[in-house]
Amino acid sequence: MKGNFSFHNPTRLHFGKESLRNLSDELKNYGPKVMLTYGGGSIKKNGIYNQVVDILNKAGKIIVEEPGVMPNPTIEKVLEGARLAKEEKVDLILAVGGGSTCDYAKAVAGCAYQEKDVWQYYFHNFGKMDCKWIPVACVLTMAGTGSEMDACSVISSHSENRKMFYYFRNPDFSILNPEFTFTVPQYQMVAGIYDIMSHILEQYLSDSDDNTSDYIAEGLMRSLIVSSRKAMANPQDYEARSNIMWTATWALNGLTACGKSTDWMVHMLGQAVAAYTDATHGHTLSAVSGAYYRFLIEHSEDAKRKFERLAKNVWDVNPLTGSVTENAIKGLETMEAWMRELGLAMNITDCGAKAEDIENYADACPINESGYVTLTRQDVIDVLKASL
């Protein structure tokens, strides 16, 4: 491992069928007011809401509800929550939901006491979070983003057609019960699965040295492939759903990035499309992956060799019988066959993108400079056109 790094993750995790029982003890560490934030109400239909509220009531907490967190949460919604959190002087923000709800909670926690224009200061200028922070906790109901154990928050602005991110702080604790993911619709489940895969790949597909992080990443990917097929066959398969949930957490909590330069262009490309279409995150990633990865194979010898390793060690393209390029492409084609098997979007047209808007998407796409290739604006346009 040639890279220098520091690793620290302060989030405490409670995992398993009985994990929600830990919420009572955790609540003893916080003041009386808890902001309970969630999405469109599915947690009320599946009973998770009642379970959480019952624990909050028994703990003597005053509940301040903030429902209605949408997929791809907006800065307007964040400002609404921030005002409420400040007015009510909440002591803890408890997010019950998937990655969007967790992202939202972190954004509210960091914006409530910020005097500056938070959209410009945080998301455009990446300014320092220099204000009071409200502690955050998550009860996860969908596996995919890894937001339960990282600091990142992705927020959209429809007025600017931008989907931006900022690193606030990690949740204090997160509760992961795989059974809470059983009722997630298949379209959303597979989107989460590909988000996990993309997180791992965007760290794995960088650098060329022998790095322990890459071996960990390969194991995570192999586990995800096996578990994804089991979950597709039986969404109630606890073992499969638990492995997917655990893989999602380790895919983006910093572990597999240790010693890596990382390349987040798939996320940048996918989020640029989503900024205009509001399409489901994981499907925008799958829609741009094939074209971007072919671009890397064509333009970088290091990338080509890494894709060949991926083909052999993850996708079981073995023995390797062709040239490095042929082996790399064979591995990518094997991955794409798995993606189709899951029913993922394979082009951005399926995500609502339009050919006439390609240049707008390119304008909304930040450039990652730490991957195998640093794309130009024209490269971004070419990749997006190849993704139609």
Side-chain angles (χ1 to χ4, degrees), residues 35-44 64-82 84 93-109 136-139 141-142 145 147 153-156 158 188 278:
M35 174 184 277
L36 177 61
T37 187
Y38 53 93
S42 62
I43 64 168
K44 291 186 175 180
V64 178
E65 291 208 22
E66 173 64 359
V69 179
M70 64 289 286
N72 301 318
T74 65
I75 187 61
E76 291 79 14
K77 181 66 176 173
V78 169
L79 294 174
E80 172 193 301
L84 180 62
I93 302 175
L94 181 60
V96 183
S100 291
T101 306
C102 298
D103 279 17
Y104 172 77
K106 286 180 276 190
V108 169
V136 170
C138 303
V139 176
T141 63
M142 178 180 170
T145 68
S147 190
S153 178
V154 181
I155 303 298
S156 296
H158 289 160
Q188 298 292 339
D278 218 26

Side-chain angles (χ1 to χ4, degrees), residues 290-305:
Y292 178 64
Y293 289 149
R294 283 177 171 79
F295 179 92
L296 290 185
I297 291 170
E298 181 181 349
H299 290 86
S300 167
E301 290 299 318
D302 284 338
K304 193 181 301 182
R305 285 190 289 270

Side-chain angles (χ1 to χ4, degrees), residues 116-186:
K116 304 178 181 71
D117 179 327
V118 296
W119 179 248
Q120 290 296 324
Y121 181 67
Y122 286 139
F123 295 95
H124 273 284
N125 299 330
F126 231 64
K128 182 180 179 182
M129 202 195 74
D130 51 6
C131 63
K132 177 181 176 181
W133 166 259
I134 303 171
V136 170
C138 303
V139 176
L140 198 63
T141 63
M142 178 180 170
T145 68
S147 190
E148 68 275 7
M149 203 180 186
D150 72 19
C152 190
S153 178
V154 181
I155 303 298
S156 296
S157 170
H158 289 160
S159 64
E160 293 186 14
N161 290 119
R162 292 293 184 272
K163 190 173 179 181
M164 314 278 278
F165 67 93
Y166 183 80
Y167 292 100
F168 287 99
R169 291 183 186 171
N170 280 43
D172 282 18
F173 67 92
S174 290
I175 292 170
L176 282 65
N177 181 344
E179 290 183 327
F180 289 176
T181 69
F182 283 1
T183 58
V184 173
Q186 181 174 302

Side-chain angles (χ1 to χ4, degrees), residues 10-51:
T11 303
R12 185 164 50 257
L13 289 181
H14 302 288
F15 189 96
K17 293 182 180 181
E18 308 300 330
S19 57
L20 190 60
R21 291 181 179 179
N22 294 280
L23 181 57
S24 295
D25 285 337
E26 289 286 2
L27 290 172
K28 295 174 184 177
N29 300 313
Y30 305 93
K33 277 196 177 181
V34 176
M35 174 184 277
L36 177 61
T37 187
Y38 53 93
S42 62
I43 64 168
K44 291 186 175 180
K45 297 176 183 177
N46 58 30
I48 298 172
Y49 173 87
N50 288 338
Q51 293 181 59

